[in-house]
Amino acid sequence: QVQLVESGGGLVQPGGSLKLSCVASGSIFRPSAMGWYRQAPGKQRELVATIGRGGSTTYAESVKGRFTISRDNPTNTVFLQMNSLKPEDTAVYYCYVLQFGVSNWGQGTQVTVSS
């Protein structure tokens, strides 16, 4: 079983920054993709960013140029640096790890962007 623990969420003013972290543990070996999704109230969960084991990245159009995803393979940790945050970035952010074709999800961390 894979456990994912997210941290780094919180309340920030528009234009501010936050860095999310997610550590995978348990039956974690060589995860292929790692990444982040988010879900705002009343909306569907949407992809924010993903990163492959070799470092290839994918971003949602809405966050390109503002968010940066990275990973540390030895510690099975994925990060999301979020800059120039906007109120529309407010959501619960979920970490995910893809391993052996199975998606594993974290519990989510709340990010609120408000003045």
Side-chain angles (χ1 to χ4, degrees):
Q1 197 168 359
V2 175
Q3 292 84 43
L4 301 177
V5 178
E6 299 126 328
S7 61
L11 173 64
V12 64
Q13 292 187 341
S17 298
L18 283 175
K19 186 173 184 177
L20 305 183
S21 301
C22 173
V23 180
S25 62
S27 300
I28 192 78
F29 301 104
R30 289 176 59 85
S32 49
M34 303 180 78
W36 297 89
Y37 279 68
R38 68 185 180 186
Q39 187 167 18
K43 294 188 177 182
Q44 289 189 331
R45 191 174 295 191
E46 63 174 0
L47 172 70
V48 177
T50 65
I51 184 167
R53 187 165 185 84
S56 59
T57 58
T58 302
Y59 293 95
E61 284 296 325
S62 59
V63 307
K64 280 183 180 178
R66 301 188 297 122
F67 291 10
T68 303
I69 190 170
S70 60
R71 66 188 278 176
D72 181 62
N73 288 332
T75 61
N76 294 310
T77 304
V78 60
F79 305 96
L80 186 67
Q81 177 66 48
M82 304 185 293
N83 299 327
S84 302
L85 282 160
K86 305 175 181 180
E88 51 264 43
D89 294 317
T90 296
V92 177
Y93 284 69
Y94 296 91
C95 166
Y96 91 97
V97 168
L98 182 65
Q99 179 172 262
F100 305 135
V102 177
S103 293
N104 302 274
W105 295 90
Q107 300 273 40
T109 185
Q110 176 70 46
V111 171
T112 302
V113 185
S114 174
S115 55

